[in-house]
Amino acid sequence: MVLLLPPFYLDAFWLQTGLFAMSAAIGAIGLNLLTGSTGQLSMGHAFFLAVGAYGYVYLASAPDGELSGLGLPTPLAFIGAIILAGVAGGVFSPIAGRLRGVYLGIASLALIFIGQHVLFNAESVTGGFNGRGVPPLEIAGFSFDDSPGVVLLGVPLGALERLWFLAVALLVPAAWIARGILRGRPGRAMNTIRDHEVAASVMGVPVARYRAGVFVLSSMYAGAAGALLALVFQRTVPDYFGMFLALDYLAMIVIGGLGSVAGAVAGAVFVSVLPQLLTRFGDDLPLVAAPGSGGVSPAEAARILYGAAVVAVVLFLPRGLAGVWARLRTAAARRRAARPFTRLDKEEQPA
């Protein structure tokens, strides 16, 4: 319920920052299922975000001059983008089912280079270097853009406010489904594969099938995140879906906590919000300079900071931010449980 309140109180900067964080959280949950819970290192997550983003644009856009498109209804285009990302993951899943660890990481790294080549050269589909405009999502006549006339509780709802509600409607089920998977039999099988592959195989777990299936599921999460990100940006640009984005997602799940849905969300918020804050308040911070001025730019400062955070987490907080929260909850529960034994109630005290 609290997630529904920000559009009524926050300005455009904070709403856009929150949208970036929620889209990143969806993608990070998918990567955490693959890397954190199953132990499969993937460097190609940015590729599947690009499939989701450009898949939505292509499916929703009508042909326009040199640019092609299918002109489908935008809800079908959004669902189709997620399916396309899953299909792309399915094409790669035989490799994911047979490789593990650093070998899968190197193999998936090739997806980034292939994706960048396609995005820059398939100009009729992607728009090339300049990218393509993103058609606004429209559901039952309600458009997620800046069209006037929509007022809720006295607050006019623009594109950012409307997209906020869409992002919440995507993030909550995405987290709920992932949490259900991890708490059920599939989650136990995935953790067994991560911790001891031979033992999992002896226990009857189809290791290759699970690896391939989780890779497809992770790709679909990335596709949903990419489609949502395209709606927020309102334009897809190939440069965004490169190596830096893949590293950002790995930083999210390490900082937040491997194998934890809440950790993936916390790490996504940390990594995606930090550059926005440094850009907004960089003038008031030491050592942070405007982009192109020769100093440390906000984006570079953000990568330095969460790079340091990754090192700190690996050395001192192996369970990430989710582990810190769990420790605080445990300590609070112990203090509450100890109180009745340290002080008697007035009616129990001797006269």
Side-chain angles (χ1 to χ4, degrees), residues 326-336:
R327 289 182 185 179
L328 293 176
R329 289 179 58 187
T330 302
R334 287 176 178 173
R335 283 197 297 269
R336 286 195 300 267

mmCIF file of all heavy atoms in Angstrom, residues 326-336:
data_model
loop_
_atom_site.group_PDB
_atom_site.id
_atom_site.type_symbol
_atom_site.label_atom_id
_atom_site.label_comp_id
_atom_site.label_asym_id
_atom_site.label_seq_id
_atom_site.Cartn_x
_atom_site.Cartn_y
_atom_site.Cartn_z
ATOM 1 N N ALA A 326 18.286 -9.028 8.156
ATOM 2 C CA ALA A 326 17.951 -10.224 8.932
ATOM 3 C C ALA A 326 18.585 -10.175 10.319
ATOM 4 O O ALA A 326 17.956 -10.561 11.316
ATOM 5 C CB ALA A 326 18.406 -11.471 8.176
ATOM 6 N N ARG A 327 19.825 -9.695 10.404
ATOM 7 C CA ARG A 327 20.483 -9.575 11.708
ATOM 8 C C ARG A 327 19.763 -8.580 12.607
ATOM 9 O O ARG A 327 19.587 -8.816 13.812
ATOM 10 C CB ARG A 327 21.937 -9.130 11.517
ATOM 11 C CG ARG A 327 22.849 -10.193 10.919
ATOM 12 C CD ARG A 327 24.264 -9.655 10.816
ATOM 13 N NE ARG A 327 25.144 -10.591 10.146
ATOM 14 C CZ ARG A 327 26.428 -10.361 9.900
ATOM 15 N NH1 ARG A 327 26.970 -9.207 10.280
ATOM 16 N NH2 ARG A 327 27.171 -11.258 9.284
ATOM 17 N N LEU A 328 19.351 -7.451 12.042
ATOM 18 C CA LEU A 328 18.635 -6.453 12.830
ATOM 19 C C LEU A 328 17.311 -7.000 13.344
ATOM 20 O O LEU A 328 16.928 -6.776 14.498
ATOM 21 C CB LEU A 328 18.401 -5.190 11.989
ATOM 22 C CG LEU A 328 19.653 -4.395 11.606
ATOM 23 C CD1 LEU A 328 19.288 -3.232 10.682
ATOM 24 C CD2 LEU A 328 20.364 -3.883 12.844
ATOM 25 N N ARG A 329 16.607 -7.735 12.498
ATOM 26 C CA ARG A 329 15.334 -8.327 12.922
ATOM 27 C C ARG A 329 15.552 -9.354 14.024
ATOM 28 O O ARG A 329 14.784 -9.415 14.987
ATOM 29 C CB ARG A 329 14.636 -8.975 11.724
ATOM 30 C CG ARG A 329 14.081 -7.997 10.714
ATOM 31 C CD ARG A 329 13.434 -8.705 9.548
ATOM 32 N NE ARG A 329 12.363 -9.589 9.993
ATOM 33 C CZ ARG A 329 11.721 -10.428 9.186
ATOM 34 N NH1 ARG A 329 12.080 -10.509 7.907
ATOM 35 N NH2 ARG A 329 10.748 -11.179 9.638
ATOM 36 N N THR A 330 16.591 -10.167 13.890
ATOM 37 C CA THR A 330 16.881 -11.166 14.912
ATOM 38 C C THR A 330 17.242 -10.517 16.240
ATOM 39 O O THR A 330 16.780 -10.937 17.310
ATOM 40 C CB THR A 330 18.027 -12.078 14.447
ATOM 41 O OG1 THR A 330 17.666 -12.706 13.217
ATOM 42 C CG2 THR A 330 18.327 -13.149 15.482
ATOM 43 N N ALA A 331 18.071 -9.472 16.174
ATOM 44 C CA ALA A 331 18.457 -8.776 17.405
ATOM 45 C C ALA A 331 17.244 -8.129 18.072
ATOM 46 O O ALA A 331 17.093 -8.174 19.297
ATOM 47 C CB ALA A 331 19.511 -7.719 17.091
ATOM 48 N N ALA A 332 16.348 -7.533 17.265
ATOM 49 C CA ALA A 332 15.149 -6.918 17.826
ATOM 50 C C ALA A 332 14.239 -7.964 18.457
ATOM 51 O O ALA A 332 13.665 -7.735 19.530
ATOM 52 C CB ALA A 332 14.401 -6.151 16.741
ATOM 53 N N ALA A 333 14.111 -9.126 17.807
ATOM 54 C CA ALA A 333 13.280 -10.191 18.360
ATOM 55 C C ALA A 333 13.852 -10.702 19.678
ATOM 56 O O ALA A 333 13.105 -10.999 20.623
ATOM 57 C CB ALA A 333 13.160 -11.328 17.348
ATOM 58 N N ARG A 334 15.165 -10.804 19.774
ATOM 59 C CA ARG A 334 15.785 -11.265 21.020
ATOM 60 C C ARG A 334 15.565 -10.260 22.152
ATOM 61 O O ARG A 334 15.324 -10.654 23.303
ATOM 62 C CB ARG A 334 17.276 -11.485 20.806
ATOM 63 C CG ARG A 334 17.599 -12.731 19.984
ATOM 64 C CD ARG A 334 19.078 -12.839 19.723
ATOM 65 N NE ARG A 334 19.399 -14.050 18.978
ATOM 66 C CZ ARG A 334 20.600 -14.335 18.491
ATOM 67 N NH1 ARG A 334 21.598 -13.471 18.696
ATOM 68 N NH2 ARG A 334 20.804 -15.438 17.824
ATOM 69 N N ARG A 335 15.639 -8.968 21.834
ATOM 70 C CA ARG A 335 15.412 -7.964 22.861
ATOM 71 C C ARG A 335 13.966 -7.999 23.353
ATOM 72 O O ARG A 335 13.714 -7.881 24.559
ATOM 73 C CB ARG A 335 15.750 -6.568 22.318
ATOM 74 C CG ARG A 335 17.248 -6.282 22.257
ATOM 75 C CD ARG A 335 17.506 -4.801 22.110
ATOM 76 N NE ARG A 335 16.964 -4.297 20.853
ATOM 77 C CZ ARG A 335 17.632 -4.234 19.717
ATOM 78 N NH1 ARG A 335 18.876 -4.674 19.673
ATOM 79 N NH2 ARG A 335 17.071 -3.750 18.625
ATOM 80 N N ARG A 336 13.023 -8.184 22.419
ATOM 81 C CA ARG A 336 11.626 -8.263 22.834
ATOM 82 C C ARG A 336 11.372 -9.502 23.687
ATOM 83 O O ARG A 336 10.619 -9.465 24.650
ATOM 84 C CB ARG A 336 10.714 -8.290 21.604
ATOM 85 C CG ARG A 336 10.581 -6.948 20.905
ATOM 86 C CD ARG A 336 9.411 -6.947 19.954
ATOM 87 N NE ARG A 336 9.570 -7.982 18.928
ATOM 88 C CZ ARG A 336 10.129 -7.782 17.750
ATOM 89 N NH1 ARG A 336 10.616 -6.586 17.447
ATOM 90 N NH2 ARG A 336 10.222 -8.759 16.873
#
